[in-house]
Amino acid sequence: MEVYKGKAKSVIEGDGDTYVMEFRNDLTAGDGAKKASKEGKGALNAEISAKFFEVLIDAGIDTHFIRFEPPTKHIVKRVKIIPLEVICRNIATGSILKRYPFTQGQKFNPPLVEMGYKDDAYHDPFLNDAVALALGAARDVAELDKLREITLKVNSILSKFLLEKGITLVDFKLEFGRDKDGNLLLADEVTPDTCRFWDVETGEIMDKDRFRQDLGDVREFYREVKRRIGA
Ligand code: 5GP
């Protein structure tokens, strides 16, 4: 039985305490206003995300990921998703340039962590801790601090891993969930749909901004990310 249908993935009930998360070929931008379907995109993202989750698990991050079932499925632990998007930025680009007077390409050191409320009807608005708590999105400030701490750890692990492959991790979005025992687990996906990747040498965009900005060759660049990370 399907328990959730997102813009690019579907979640189906699995055996025991598992869900089956299926990566679809759909691509959306602008809260679903712009849509396309690219044959093979789901499989590329499923492979790429599986590799990143394996790297993160090896580095000690607790996640929902159990195993990859090619071509498009992840078997994951059942979690209740926390309705927050945790965004980490190493370089200024995208939405932050519309909100603050940063310049395109400016480096953030330390990295910036922001949180948004996961709700397309409100365009996933950025929020502060007081609003997150008033919405019931998190239990307390300690939990929000934990989300920020894990996100910064994910950033260090993946930035280093990707740099060795000639890719700059510009920014990314994470989602978390709680399992039945209340453990906080990294969930969802880590893919070129949810991260910005730039080629270290050329600065070429290797992520969903190719679709958002009509740059073309979306799958070719996803395939190149997959090749470089050895997924
Ligand atoms: P921005 O806030 O600049 O639009 O996005 C920052 C980073 O978070 C980018 O890597 C972007 O891909 C990711 N991100 C933010 N919101 C969403 C979202 O609703 N869906 C997806 N797939 N990625 C998001």
Side-chain angles (χ1 to χ4, degrees), residues 3 26 54 60 77 80 92 99-100 110 119 121 131-132 135-136 141 145 148 151-152 155 167 171 182 189 218:
V3 287
D26 303 314
E54 283 161 9
K77 293 175 194 159
K80 192 166 186 323
R99 291 179 283 123
Y100 305 102
D119 191 331
V131 177
L135 285 166
V141 173
D145 285 339
R148 286 185 278 259
T151 299
L152 285 170
N155 185 46
I167 297 173
D171 57 26
E189 65 180 294
V218 177

Side-chain angles (χ1 to χ4, degrees), residues 91-168:
I91 296 177
T93 191
S95 78
I96 200 159
L97 298 180
K98 297 185 187 129
R99 291 179 283 123
Y100 305 102
F102 293 118
T103 48
Q104 164 75 18
Q106 179 179 342
K107 292 200 170 74
F108 295 125
N109 192 12
L112 292 190
V113 179
E114 300 181 286
M115 288 197 192
Y117 186 61
K118 218 175 118 62
D119 191 331
D120 281 342
Y122 290 86
H123 308 291
D124 301 340
F126 287 100
L127 42 58
N128 63 24
D129 286 10
V131 177
L133 297 181
L135 285 166
R139 289 174 180 161
D140 48 28
V141 173
E143 190 170 62
L144 294 168
D145 285 339
K146 189 79 197 158
L147 294 176
R148 286 185 278 259
E149 182 192 320
I150 303 169
T151 299
L152 285 170
K153 198 169 165 200
V154 166
N155 185 46
S156 321
I157 298 161
L158 293 186
S159 292
K160 184 167 174 286
F161 172 77
L162 283 163
L163 192 58
E164 288 164 2
K165 320 287 180 197
I167 297 173
T168 302

